[in-house]
Amino acid sequence: KQEVTQIPAALSVPEGENLVLNCSFTDSAIYNLQWFRQDPGKGLTSLLLIQSSQREQTSGRLNASLDKSSGRSTLYIAASQPGDSATYLCAGATSGTYKYIFGTGTRLKVLA
Amino acid sequence: DGGITQSPKYLFRKEGQNVTLSCEQNLNHDAMYWYRQDPGQGLRLIYYSQIVNDFQKGDIAEGYSVSREKKESFPLTVTSAQKNPTAFYLCASTDSRQPQHFGDGTRLSIL
C-alpha cells in the first residue's frame, strides 16, 4: 500500500530564507505528482504538477522535482515571504490510476 | 470562470440521520474525488469516479455512498453507519494531464 511521508512536519523561518520541503513515497512508481498549498479552513490550491515524462516544474519562486528511482520529491521555495505561510501537501498517483495518495503536510510559518 | 462548487459550507448532522454533500464542476473533467480531512491530518480518499456511472471505493469508504449520474456532479452521502463523521470534506476533479482542482470544502459536525 502506497504511503507518503512529508518532512519536516512543521517549519518556522525568518523572511527571505530559501526552503526545501520533502516528500517520499513507499512505492516509487509515481505517475503524476502534485504539490498543493492549503490555507487554514480552506480547500487546496494546486502549485505544481510533475507529469510522468517530467522531472521538475517551476513557477515563480517555486521549483518542484521528482526522483522516480528513489520515490522522492522536493519543493524548493526561494526568498520566502510571510504570505507563503500555509500547509504544503504533496500527492502522487501511481501508474495507470487516477488515485492520488496524500502526505500529511508540512506546516510552514514565515516570520516577518 | 471554471471551477468546483461545494455546498453547503457548514452542515450539521443529527444522530441516525443521512446527509448529502453536493459537488458540482464545470471544468469538463472526467474524474472526480471525495476526500476527508481530520484536524492536523492529510487527506484520505473516500470514493473516486473516473467516468459517469462508475465509481470506486477509496481507503475509507465505509459509512459513505456516492453516485455519478452526470459528468458535472458527484454527491456524497454520509450515512448513519458512519459513526465519526465530524471532519472537513473536500471534493476534487481532474483529467489525466491536468492538476487536481479542489472545491472550498464542507465542514460537517454532529449535533
Side-chain angles (χ1 to χ4, degrees):
Chain A
K1 180 184 173 184
Q2 177 73 280
E3 293 183 359
V4 185
T5 302
Q6 288 192 243
I7 295 173
L11 186 60
S12 186
V13 299
E15 182 176 7
E17 277 206 5
N18 300 326
L19 312 170
V20 176
L21 308 182
N22 296 290
C23 174
S24 62
F25 297 81
T26 52
D27 180 351
S28 60
I30 299 301
Y31 186 73
N32 283 351
L33 183 132
Q34 262 188 280
W35 281 92
F36 295 88
R37 169 188 174 132
Q38 187 177 31
D39 293 291
K42 302 291 186 182
L44 276 66
T45 300
S46 178
L47 297 173
L48 293 164
L49 167 66
I50 303 176
Q51 295 179 344
S52 58
S53 58
Q54 301 169 329
R55 290 189 178 180
E56 68 175 317
Q57 281 288 323
T58 298
S59 176
R61 295 182 292 108
L62 305 179
N63 174 273
S65 63
L66 175 61
D67 181 348
K68 290 190 176 182
S69 63
S70 64
R72 293 183 179 182
S73 178
T74 59
L75 177 67
Y76 177 82
I77 303 175
S80 58
Q81 302 172 357
D84 294 331
S85 298
T87 297
Y88 290 81
L89 297 127
C90 66
T94 48
S95 296
T97 78
Y98 280 84
K99 185 179 175 182
Y100 280 85
I101 305 297
F102 280 78
T104 53
T106 294
R107 198 167 56 254
L108 172 66
K109 188 168 185 178
V110 181
L111 305 169
Chain B
D1 283 338
I4 298 181
T5 302
Q6 288 189 242
S7 62
K9 190 168 184 175
Y10 299 96
L11 188 58
F12 298 91
R13 196 191 87 169
K14 296 179 182 178
E15 289 289 335
Q17 185 181 41
N18 294 351
V19 292
T20 297
L21 284 62
S22 172
C23 178
E24 303 277 333
Q25 56 103 353
N26 61 3
L27 299 165
N28 201 34
H29 285 166
D30 287 320
M32 296 187 74
Y33 306 78
W34 275 105
Y35 295 95
R36 170 180 171 141
Q37 187 176 36
D38 293 283
Q41 303 292 316
L43 276 66
R44 292 185 289 168
L45 183 64
I46 305 172
Y47 270 98
Y48 66 108
S49 168
Q50 296 183 216
I51 197 167
V52 174
N53 292 323
D54 187 44
F55 48 82
Q56 288 79 41
K57 293 182 179 180
D59 299 318
I60 56 166
E62 186 174 350
Y64 300 97
S65 66
V66 293
S67 63
R68 186 87 187 276
E69 297 176 1
K70 298 186 300 181
K71 188 175 186 177
E72 304 80 23
S73 179
F74 192 41
L76 173 74
T77 297
V78 184
T79 75
S80 57
Q82 173 48 247
K83 297 305 180 189
N84 184 24
T86 298
F88 189 46
Y89 291 85
L90 288 160
C91 179
S93 71
T94 190
D95 274 339
S96 61
R97 303 195 70 77
Q98 297 287 327
Q100 275 196 319
H101 290 259
F102 279 80
D104 288 335
T106 293
R107 195 166 297 279
L108 176 61
S109 303
I110 297 287
L111 279 179

PDB file of all heavy atoms in Angstrom, chain A residues 36-71:
ATOM      1  N   PHE A  36       0.573  20.997  -3.343  1.00  0.00           N
ATOM      2  CA  PHE A  36      -0.556  21.876  -3.060  1.00  0.00           C
ATOM      3  C   PHE A  36      -0.228  22.776  -1.884  1.00  0.00           C
ATOM      4  O   PHE A  36       0.592  22.445  -1.031  1.00  0.00           O
ATOM      5  CB  PHE A  36      -1.799  21.066  -2.660  1.00  0.00           C
ATOM      6  CG  PHE A  36      -2.350  20.183  -3.722  1.00  0.00           C
ATOM      7  CD1 PHE A  36      -1.879  18.887  -3.862  1.00  0.00           C
ATOM      8  CD2 PHE A  36      -3.355  20.622  -4.563  1.00  0.00           C
ATOM      9  CE1 PHE A  36      -2.404  18.049  -4.835  1.00  0.00           C
ATOM     10  CE2 PHE A  36      -3.882  19.788  -5.525  1.00  0.00           C
ATOM     11  CZ  PHE A  36      -3.407  18.497  -5.669  1.00  0.00           C
ATOM     12  N   ARG A  37      -0.968  23.864  -1.821  1.00  0.00           N
ATOM     13  CA  ARG A  37      -0.950  24.754  -0.663  1.00  0.00           C
ATOM     14  C   ARG A  37      -2.346  24.759  -0.070  1.00  0.00           C
ATOM     15  O   ARG A  37      -3.340  24.792  -0.803  1.00  0.00           O
ATOM     16  CB  ARG A  37      -0.567  26.154  -1.126  1.00  0.00           C
ATOM     17  CG  ARG A  37      -0.769  27.225  -0.098  1.00  0.00           C
ATOM     18  CD  ARG A  37      -0.573  28.602  -0.651  1.00  0.00           C
ATOM     19  NE  ARG A  37      -0.922  29.578   0.369  1.00  0.00           N
ATOM     20  CZ  ARG A  37      -0.160  30.615   0.679  1.00  0.00           C
ATOM     21  NH1 ARG A  37       0.976  30.843   0.024  1.00  0.00           N
ATOM     22  NH2 ARG A  37      -0.534  31.454   1.618  1.00  0.00           N
ATOM     23  N   GLN A  38      -2.436  24.718   1.271  1.00  0.00           N
ATOM     24  CA  GLN A  38      -3.717  24.819   1.956  1.00  0.00           C
ATOM     25  C   GLN A  38      -3.634  25.877   3.044  1.00  0.00           C
ATOM     26  O   GLN A  38      -2.820  25.776   3.956  1.00  0.00           O
ATOM     27  CB  GLN A  38      -4.144  23.481   2.553  1.00  0.00           C
ATOM     28  CG  GLN A  38      -5.553  23.518   3.134  1.00  0.00           C
ATOM     29  CD  GLN A  38      -6.027  22.187   3.668  1.00  0.00           C
ATOM     30  OE1 GLN A  38      -5.220  21.382   4.141  1.00  0.00           O
ATOM     31  NE2 GLN A  38      -7.331  21.935   3.613  1.00  0.00           N
ATOM     32  N   ASP A  39      -4.501  26.885   2.945  1.00  0.00           N
ATOM     33  CA  ASP A  39      -4.624  27.884   3.989  1.00  0.00           C
ATOM     34  C   ASP A  39      -5.660  27.395   5.003  1.00  0.00           C
ATOM     35  O   ASP A  39      -6.552  26.613   4.658  1.00  0.00           O
ATOM     36  CB  ASP A  39      -5.017  29.228   3.384  1.00  0.00           C
ATOM     37  CG  ASP A  39      -3.902  29.796   2.521  1.00  0.00           C
ATOM     38  OD1 ASP A  39      -2.869  30.181   3.113  1.00  0.00           O
ATOM     39  OD2 ASP A  39      -4.014  29.816   1.278  1.00  0.00           O
ATOM     40  N   PRO A  40      -5.593  27.852   6.256  1.00  0.00           N
ATOM     41  CA  PRO A  40      -6.493  27.331   7.301  1.00  0.00           C
ATOM     42  C   PRO A  40      -7.962  27.414   6.914  1.00  0.00           C
ATOM     43  O   PRO A  40      -8.440  28.468   6.493  1.00  0.00           O
ATOM     44  CB  PRO A  40      -6.171  28.230   8.506  1.00  0.00           C
ATOM     45  CG  PRO A  40      -4.760  28.654   8.269  1.00  0.00           C
ATOM     46  CD  PRO A  40      -4.614  28.819   6.793  1.00  0.00           C
ATOM     47  N   GLY A  41      -8.672  26.295   7.039  1.00  0.00           N
ATOM     48  CA  GLY A  41     -10.103  26.256   6.779  1.00  0.00           C
ATOM     49  C   GLY A  41     -10.491  26.316   5.313  1.00  0.00           C
ATOM     50  O   GLY A  41     -11.674  26.471   4.989  1.00  0.00           O
ATOM     51  N   LYS A  42      -9.510  26.205   4.441  1.00  0.00           N
ATOM     52  CA  LYS A  42      -9.771  26.335   3.008  1.00  0.00           C
ATOM     53  C   LYS A  42      -9.495  25.037   2.259  1.00  0.00           C
ATOM     54  O   LYS A  42      -8.916  24.091   2.806  1.00  0.00           O
ATOM     55  CB  LYS A  42      -8.882  27.438   2.417  1.00  0.00           C
ATOM     56  CG  LYS A  42      -9.045  28.795   3.048  1.00  0.00           C
ATOM     57  CD  LYS A  42     -10.387  29.415   2.727  1.00  0.00           C
ATOM     58  CE  LYS A  42     -10.459  30.831   3.246  1.00  0.00           C
ATOM     59  NZ  LYS A  42     -11.781  31.441   2.974  1.00  0.00           N
ATOM     60  N   GLY A  43      -9.899  25.003   0.991  1.00  0.00           N
ATOM     61  CA  GLY A  43      -9.543  23.889   0.126  1.00  0.00           C
ATOM     62  C   GLY A  43      -8.087  23.984  -0.300  1.00  0.00           C
ATOM     63  O   GLY A  43      -7.337  24.825   0.181  1.00  0.00           O
ATOM     64  N   LEU A  44      -7.696  23.076  -1.200  1.00  0.00           N
ATOM     65  CA  LEU A  44      -6.311  23.022  -1.656  1.00  0.00           C
ATOM     66  C   LEU A  44      -6.150  23.797  -2.953  1.00  0.00           C
ATOM     67  O   LEU A  44      -7.002  23.738  -3.833  1.00  0.00           O
ATOM     68  CB  LEU A  44      -5.887  21.572  -1.882  1.00  0.00           C
ATOM     69  CG  LEU A  44      -5.418  20.801  -0.674  1.00  0.00           C
ATOM     70  CD1 LEU A  44      -6.525  20.590   0.335  1.00  0.00           C
ATOM     71  CD2 LEU A  44      -4.833  19.458  -1.096  1.00  0.00           C
ATOM     72  N   THR A  45      -5.011  24.489  -3.063  1.00  0.00           N
ATOM     73  CA  THR A  45      -4.656  25.183  -4.297  1.00  0.00           C
ATOM     74  C   THR A  45      -3.472  24.468  -4.923  1.00  0.00           C
ATOM     75  O   THR A  45      -2.449  24.263  -4.262  1.00  0.00           O
ATOM     76  CB  THR A  45      -4.274  26.642  -4.005  1.00  0.00           C
ATOM     77  OG1 THR A  45      -5.382  27.293  -3.394  1.00  0.00           O
ATOM     78  CG2 THR A  45      -3.890  27.363  -5.281  1.00  0.00           C
ATOM     79  N   SER A  46      -3.617  24.073  -6.189  1.00  0.00           N
ATOM     80  CA  SER A  46      -2.528  23.383  -6.861  1.00  0.00           C
ATOM     81  C   SER A  46      -1.382  24.343  -7.145  1.00  0.00           C
ATOM     82  O   SER A  46      -1.587  25.450  -7.647  1.00  0.00           O
ATOM     83  CB  SER A  46      -3.028  22.776  -8.177  1.00  0.00           C
ATOM     84  OG  SER A  46      -1.973  22.142  -8.864  1.00  0.00           O
ATOM     85  N   LEU A  47      -0.158  23.934  -6.806  1.00  0.00           N
ATOM     86  CA  LEU A  47       1.025  24.757  -7.052  1.00  0.00           C
ATOM     87  C   LEU A  47       1.774  24.265  -8.287  1.00  0.00           C
ATOM     88  O   LEU A  47       2.084  25.046  -9.187  1.00  0.00           O
ATOM     89  CB  LEU A  47       1.959  24.705  -5.832  1.00  0.00           C
ATOM     90  CG  LEU A  47       1.391  25.271  -4.532  1.00  0.00           C
ATOM     91  CD1 LEU A  47       2.353  24.998  -3.392  1.00  0.00           C
ATOM     92  CD2 LEU A  47       1.111  26.752  -4.662  1.00  0.00           C
ATOM     93  N   LEU A  48       2.102  22.990  -8.298  1.00  0.00           N
ATOM     94  CA  LEU A  48       2.897  22.430  -9.391  1.00  0.00           C
ATOM     95  C   LEU A  48       2.470  20.989  -9.638  1.00  0.00           C
ATOM     96  O   LEU A  48       2.174  20.258  -8.691  1.00  0.00           O
ATOM     97  CB  LEU A  48       4.399  22.466  -9.041  1.00  0.00           C
ATOM     98  CG  LEU A  48       5.029  23.856  -8.942  1.00  0.00           C
ATOM     99  CD1 LEU A  48       6.368  23.793  -8.230  1.00  0.00           C
ATOM    100  CD2 LEU A  48       5.208  24.455 -10.329  1.00  0.00           C
ATOM    101  N   LEU A  49       2.465  20.603 -10.901  1.00  0.00           N
ATOM    102  CA  LEU A  49       2.180  19.221 -11.301  1.00  0.00           C
ATOM    103  C   LEU A  49       3.369  18.710 -12.099  1.00  0.00           C
ATOM    104  O   LEU A  49       3.777  19.335 -13.082  1.00  0.00           O
ATOM    105  CB  LEU A  49       0.917  19.172 -12.158  1.00  0.00           C
ATOM    106  CG  LEU A  49       0.645  17.856 -12.915  1.00  0.00           C
ATOM    107  CD1 LEU A  49       0.356  16.731 -11.934  1.00  0.00           C
ATOM    108  CD2 LEU A  49      -0.500  18.041 -13.904  1.00  0.00           C
ATOM    109  N   ILE A  50       3.941  17.590 -11.665  1.00  0.00           N
ATOM    110  CA  ILE A  50       5.002  16.927 -12.426  1.00  0.00           C
ATOM    111  C   ILE A  50       4.398  15.677 -13.043  1.00  0.00           C
ATOM    112  O   ILE A  50       3.967  14.765 -12.329  1.00  0.00           O
ATOM    113  CB  ILE A  50       6.201  16.564 -11.529  1.00  0.00           C
ATOM    114  CG1 ILE A  50       6.750  17.803 -10.836  1.00  0.00           C
ATOM    115  CG2 ILE A  50       7.298  15.899 -12.369  1.00  0.00           C
ATOM    116  CD1 ILE A  50       7.873  17.511  -9.856  1.00  0.00           C
ATOM    117  N   GLN A  51       4.338  15.649 -14.349  1.00  0.00           N
ATOM    118  CA  GLN A  51       3.733  14.510 -15.043  1.00  0.00           C
ATOM    119  C   GLN A  51       4.769  13.424 -15.287  1.00  0.00           C
ATOM    120  O   GLN A  51       5.960  13.622 -15.063  1.00  0.00           O
ATOM    121  CB  GLN A  51       3.094  14.980 -16.346  1.00  0.00           C
ATOM    122  CG  GLN A  51       1.940  15.928 -16.084  1.00  0.00           C
ATOM    123  CD  GLN A  51       1.293  16.431 -17.349  1.00  0.00           C
ATOM    124  OE1 GLN A  51       1.865  16.317 -18.429  1.00  0.00           O
ATOM    125  NE2 GLN A  51       0.100  16.972 -17.228  1.00  0.00           N
ATOM    126  N   SER A  52       4.301  12.303 -15.804  1.00  0.00           N
ATOM    127  CA  SER A  52       5.134  11.104 -15.876  1.00  0.00           C
ATOM    128  C   SER A  52       6.414  11.296 -16.678  1.00  0.00           C
ATOM    129  O   SER A  52       7.435  10.695 -16.385  1.00  0.00           O
ATOM    130  CB  SER A  52       4.335   9.947 -16.463  1.00  0.00           C
ATOM    131  OG  SER A  52       3.849  10.293 -17.738  1.00  0.00           O
ATOM    132  N   SER A  53       6.374  12.148 -17.686  1.00  0.00           N
ATOM    133  CA  SER A  53       7.549  12.321 -18.551  1.00  0.00           C
ATOM    134  C   SER A  53       8.474  13.435 -18.063  1.00  0.00           C
ATOM    135  O   SER A  53       9.499  13.698 -18.688  1.00  0.00           O
ATOM    136  CB  SER A  53       7.074  12.652 -19.968  1.00  0.00           C
ATOM    137  OG  SER A  53       6.287  13.824 -19.946  1.00  0.00           O
ATOM    138  N   GLN A  54       8.135  14.060 -16.943  1.00  0.00           N
ATOM    139  CA  GLN A  54       8.887  15.222 -16.469  1.00  0.00           C
ATOM    140  C   GLN A  54       9.662  14.879 -15.206  1.00  0.00           C
ATOM    141  O   GLN A  54       9.336  13.931 -14.490  1.00  0.00           O
ATOM    142  CB  GLN A  54       7.931  16.384 -16.197  1.00  0.00           C
ATOM    143  CG  GLN A  54       7.140  16.803 -17.426  1.00  0.00           C
ATOM    144  CD  GLN A  54       6.013  17.756 -17.091  1.00  0.00           C
ATOM    145  OE1 GLN A  54       5.446  17.701 -16.005  1.00  0.00           O
ATOM    146  NE2 GLN A  54       5.694  18.631 -18.020  1.00  0.00           N
ATOM    147  N   ARG A  55      10.677  15.713 -14.928  1.00  0.00           N
ATOM    148  CA  ARG A  55      11.436  15.552 -13.686  1.00  0.00           C
ATOM    149  C   ARG A  55      11.284  16.740 -12.755  1.00  0.00           C
ATOM    150  O   ARG A  55      11.529  16.627 -11.556  1.00  0.00           O
ATOM    151  CB  ARG A  55      12.915  15.369 -14.009  1.00  0.00           C
ATOM    152  CG  ARG A  55      13.235  14.047 -14.652  1.00  0.00           C
ATOM    153  CD  ARG A  55      14.711  13.839 -14.738  1.00  0.00           C
ATOM    154  NE  ARG A  55      15.024  12.542 -15.323  1.00  0.00           N
ATOM    155  CZ  ARG A  55      16.241  12.090 -15.515  1.00  0.00           C
ATOM    156  NH1 ARG A  55      17.274  12.811 -15.175  1.00  0.00           N
ATOM    157  NH2 ARG A  55      16.426  10.897 -16.042  1.00  0.00           N
ATOM    158  N   GLU A  56      10.910  17.897 -13.297  1.00  0.00           N
ATOM    159  CA  GLU A  56      10.726  19.057 -12.440  1.00  0.00           C
ATOM    160  C   GLU A  56       9.803  20.065 -13.115  1.00  0.00           C
ATOM    161  O   GLU A  56       9.573  20.018 -14.332  1.00  0.00           O
ATOM    162  CB  GLU A  56      12.065  19.698 -12.083  1.00  0.00           C
ATOM    163  CG  GLU A  56      12.799  20.351 -13.217  1.00  0.00           C
ATOM    164  CD  GLU A  56      14.064  21.054 -12.719  1.00  0.00           C
ATOM    165  OE1 GLU A  56      14.026  21.719 -11.670  1.00  0.00           O
ATOM    166  OE2 GLU A  56      15.088  20.921 -13.391  1.00  0.00           O
ATOM    167  N   GLN A  57       9.299  20.962 -12.275  1.00  0.00           N
ATOM    168  CA  GLN A  57       8.461  22.051 -12.745  1.00  0.00           C
ATOM    169  C   GLN A  57       8.795  23.291 -11.939  1.00  0.00           C
ATOM    170  O   GLN A  57       9.137  23.199 -10.751  1.00  0.00           O
ATOM    171  CB  GLN A  57       6.971  21.722 -12.573  1.00  0.00           C
ATOM    172  CG  GLN A  57       6.387  20.799 -13.631  1.00  0.00           C
ATOM    173  CD  GLN A  57       6.230  21.480 -14.966  1.00  0.00           C
ATOM    174  OE1 GLN A  57       5.889  22.651 -15.065  1.00  0.00           O
ATOM    175  NE2 GLN A  57       6.500  20.745 -16.021  1.00  0.00           N
ATOM    176  N   THR A  58       8.659  24.448 -12.575  1.00  0.00           N
ATOM    177  CA  THR A  58       8.950  25.715 -11.906  1.00  0.00           C
ATOM    178  C   THR A  58       7.804  26.680 -12.135  1.00  0.00           C
ATOM    179  O   THR A  58       7.211  26.727 -13.218  1.00  0.00           O
ATOM    180  CB  THR A  58      10.251  26.317 -12.458  1.00  0.00           C
ATOM    181  OG1 THR A  58      11.333  25.427 -12.182  1.00  0.00           O
ATOM    182  CG2 THR A  58      10.536  27.666 -11.808  1.00  0.00           C
ATOM    183  N   SER A  59       7.483  27.431 -11.073  1.00  0.00           N
ATOM    184  CA  SER A  59       6.505  28.504 -11.181  1.00  0.00           C
ATOM    185  C   SER A  59       6.925  29.618 -10.227  1.00  0.00           C
ATOM    186  O   SER A  59       6.852  29.461  -9.009  1.00  0.00           O
ATOM    187  CB  SER A  59       5.108  27.993 -10.816  1.00  0.00           C
ATOM    188  OG  SER A  59       4.170  29.054 -10.834  1.00  0.00           O
ATOM    189  N   GLY A  60       7.413  30.711 -10.801  1.00  0.00           N
ATOM    190  CA  GLY A  60       7.843  31.822  -9.967  1.00  0.00           C
ATOM    191  C   GLY A  60       8.957  31.421  -9.021  1.00  0.00           C
ATOM    192  O   GLY A  60      10.005  30.924  -9.440  1.00  0.00           O
ATOM    193  N   ARG A  61       8.720  31.607  -7.717  1.00  0.00           N
ATOM    194  CA  ARG A  61       9.737  31.264  -6.705  1.00  0.00           C
ATOM    195  C   ARG A  61       9.711  29.793  -6.296  1.00  0.00           C
ATOM    196  O   ARG A  61      10.454  29.374  -5.414  1.00  0.00           O
ATOM    197  CB  ARG A  61       9.520  32.143  -5.464  1.00  0.00           C
ATOM    198  CG  ARG A  61       9.743  33.632  -5.713  1.00  0.00           C
ATOM    199  CD  ARG A  61       9.564  34.460  -4.438  1.00  0.00           C
ATOM    200  NE  ARG A  61       8.184  34.463  -3.983  1.00  0.00           N
ATOM    201  CZ  ARG A  61       7.738  33.810  -2.911  1.00  0.00           C
ATOM    202  NH1 ARG A  61       8.578  33.109  -2.161  1.00  0.00           N
ATOM    203  NH2 ARG A  61       6.480  33.875  -2.564  1.00  0.00           N
ATOM    204  N   LEU A  62       8.844  29.010  -6.924  1.00  0.00           N
ATOM    205  CA  LEU A  62       8.684  27.600  -6.557  1.00  0.00           C
ATOM    206  C   LEU A  62       9.306  26.695  -7.617  1.00  0.00           C
ATOM    207  O   LEU A  62       9.162  26.941  -8.812  1.00  0.00           O
ATOM    208  CB  LEU A  62       7.202  27.250  -6.430  1.00  0.00           C
ATOM    209  CG  LEU A  62       6.356  28.077  -5.481  1.00  0.00           C
ATOM    210  CD1 LEU A  62       4.922  27.582  -5.514  1.00  0.00           C
ATOM    211  CD2 LEU A  62       6.903  28.030  -4.075  1.00  0.00           C
ATOM    212  N   ASN A  63       9.984  25.655  -7.131  1.00  0.00           N
ATOM    213  CA  ASN A  63      10.511  24.624  -8.022  1.00  0.00           C
ATOM    214  C   ASN A  63      10.281  23.277  -7.366  1.00  0.00           C
ATOM    215  O   ASN A  63      10.621  23.074  -6.195  1.00  0.00           O
ATOM    216  CB  ASN A  63      12.003  24.841  -8.255  1.00  0.00           C
ATOM    217  CG  ASN A  63      12.630  23.706  -9.068  1.00  0.00           C
ATOM    218  OD1 ASN A  63      13.045  22.694  -8.510  1.00  0.00           O
ATOM    219  ND2 ASN A  63      12.679  23.867 -10.360  1.00  0.00           N
ATOM    220  N   ALA A  64       9.695  22.366  -8.117  1.00  0.00           N
ATOM    221  CA  ALA A  64       9.476  21.012  -7.597  1.00  0.00           C
ATOM    222  C   ALA A  64      10.197  20.023  -8.487  1.00  0.00           C
ATOM    223  O   ALA A  64      10.205  20.155  -9.713  1.00  0.00           O
ATOM    224  CB  ALA A  64       7.985  20.679  -7.547  1.00  0.00           C
ATOM    225  N   SER A  65      10.793  19.022  -7.868  1.00  0.00           N
ATOM    226  CA  SER A  65      11.485  17.979  -8.617  1.00  0.00           C
ATOM    227  C   SER A  65      11.024  16.616  -8.139  1.00  0.00           C
ATOM    228  O   SER A  65      10.539  16.461  -7.013  1.00  0.00           O
ATOM    229  CB  SER A  65      13.003  18.112  -8.448  1.00  0.00           C
ATOM    230  OG  SER A  65      13.343  17.918  -7.094  1.00  0.00           O
ATOM    231  N   LEU A  66      11.169  15.630  -9.015  1.00  0.00           N
ATOM    232  CA  LEU A  66      10.772  14.256  -8.696  1.00  0.00           C
ATOM    233  C   LEU A  66      11.875  13.301  -9.126  1.00  0.00           C
ATOM    234  O   LEU A  66      12.285  13.301 -10.284  1.00  0.00           O
ATOM    235  CB  LEU A  66       9.473  13.898  -9.415  1.00  0.00           C
ATOM    236  CG  LEU A  66       8.995  12.449  -9.282  1.00  0.00           C
ATOM    237  CD1 LEU A  66       8.724  12.083  -7.832  1.00  0.00           C
ATOM    238  CD2 LEU A  66       7.762  12.218 -10.142  1.00  0.00           C
ATOM    239  N   ASP A  67      12.355  12.515  -8.178  1.00  0.00           N
ATOM    240  CA  ASP A  67      13.327  11.463  -8.459  1.00  0.00           C
ATOM    241  C   ASP A  67      12.581  10.139  -8.390  1.00  0.00           C
ATOM    242  O   ASP A  67      12.326   9.618  -7.301  1.00  0.00           O
ATOM    243  CB  ASP A  67      14.459  11.503  -7.441  1.00  0.00           C
ATOM    244  CG  ASP A  67      15.509  10.433  -7.695  1.00  0.00           C
ATOM    245  OD1 ASP A  67      15.277   9.514  -8.518  1.00  0.00           O
ATOM    246  OD2 ASP A  67      16.583  10.499  -7.074  1.00  0.00           O
ATOM    247  N   LYS A  68      12.229   9.595  -9.543  1.00  0.00           N
ATOM    248  CA  LYS A  68      11.402   8.391  -9.567  1.00  0.00           C
ATOM    249  C   LYS A  68      12.158   7.172  -9.047  1.00  0.00           C
ATOM    250  O   LYS A  68      11.548   6.250  -8.495  1.00  0.00           O
ATOM    251  CB  LYS A  68      10.900   8.128 -10.979  1.00  0.00           C
ATOM    252  CG  LYS A  68       9.876   9.141 -11.434  1.00  0.00           C
ATOM    253  CD  LYS A  68       9.234   8.724 -12.731  1.00  0.00           C
ATOM    254  CE  LYS A  68       8.150   9.690 -13.111  1.00  0.00           C
ATOM    255  NZ  LYS A  68       7.457   9.288 -14.344  1.00  0.00           N
ATOM    256  N   SER A  69      13.464   7.148  -9.218  1.00  0.00           N
ATOM    257  CA  SER A  69      14.220   5.970  -8.784  1.00  0.00           C
ATOM    258  C   SER A  69      14.149   5.795  -7.271  1.00  0.00           C
ATOM    259  O   SER A  69      14.164   4.674  -6.759  1.00  0.00           O
ATOM    260  CB  SER A  69      15.674   6.069  -9.233  1.00  0.00           C
ATOM    261  OG  SER A  69      16.298   7.185  -8.629  1.00  0.00           O
ATOM    262  N   SER A  70      14.059   6.919  -6.551  1.00  0.00           N
ATOM    263  CA  SER A  70      14.006   6.839  -5.095  1.00  0.00           C
ATOM    264  C   SER A  70      12.605   7.100  -4.556  1.00  0.00           C
ATOM    265  O   SER A  70      12.361   6.910  -3.360  1.00  0.00           O
ATOM    266  CB  SER A  70      14.974   7.853  -4.482  1.00  0.00           C
ATOM    267  OG  SER A  70      14.570   9.173  -4.803  1.00  0.00           O
ATOM    268  N   GLY A  71      11.690   7.551  -5.387  1.00  0.00           N
ATOM    269  CA  GLY A  71      10.339   7.877  -4.941  1.00  0.00           C
ATOM    270  C   GLY A  71      10.303   9.110  -4.064  1.00  0.00           C
ATOM    271  O   GLY A  71       9.522   9.168  -3.108  1.00  0.00           O
TER     272      GLY A  71
END
